[in-house]
């Protein structure tokens, strides 16, 4: 498994690239604003999977999504941390 941190702003940002070896993906919102996650295409505000501010999280494991994951937020410099298991 590998830990990571990605800064998310007001434009769609790739959180994790597609990975055919992925067995699980966990994401946690470390920021004070909601972050919206999209699987496979650019993230859009107020659409997709919402990670609530201050610790909102998701674990994608069974079945695991192996494509690219993107995020967007209403303000700049927000942090998503996570673990990807391969």
């Amino acid at each position: 498994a590998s830990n990571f941190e990605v800064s998310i702003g007001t434009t769609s940002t790739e959180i994790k690239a597609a990975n055919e070896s992925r067995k699980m993906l966990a994401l946690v919102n470390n920021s004070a604003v909601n972050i919206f996650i999209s699987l496979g295409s650019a993230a859009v505000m107020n659409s997709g999977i919402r990670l609530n501010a201050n610790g909102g999280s998701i674990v994608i494991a069974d079945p695991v999504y192996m494509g690219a994951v993107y995020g967007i937020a209403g303000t700049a410099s927000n942090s998503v941390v996570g673990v990807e298991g391969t």
Side-chain angles (χ1 to χ4, degrees):
S2 61
N3 299 317
F4 60 89
E5 180 176 8
V6 177
S7 180
I8 305 295
T10 58
T11 59
S12 183
T13 303
E14 186 176 74
I15 295 173
K16 288 306 282 182
N19 182 347
E20 292 296 320
S21 298
R22 183 180 295 147
K23 292 186 175 44
M24 66 82 67
L25 181 65
L27 304 173
V28 179
N29 181 355
N30 261 0
S31 66
V33 299
N34 294 334
I35 293 176
F36 294 88
I37 303 299
S38 177
L39 304 177
S41 60
V44 176
M45 280 299 299
N46 301 311
S47 181
I49 301 166
R50 178 174 136 169
L51 292 183
N52 288 330
N54 302 313
S57 63
I58 186 170
V59 175
I60 305 170
D62 189 18
V64 66
Y65 175 73
M66 294 185 224
V69 179
Y70 299 87
I72 194 168
T75 62
S77 301
N78 301 286
S79 175
V80 168
V81 296
V83 175
E84 179 179 50
T86 54

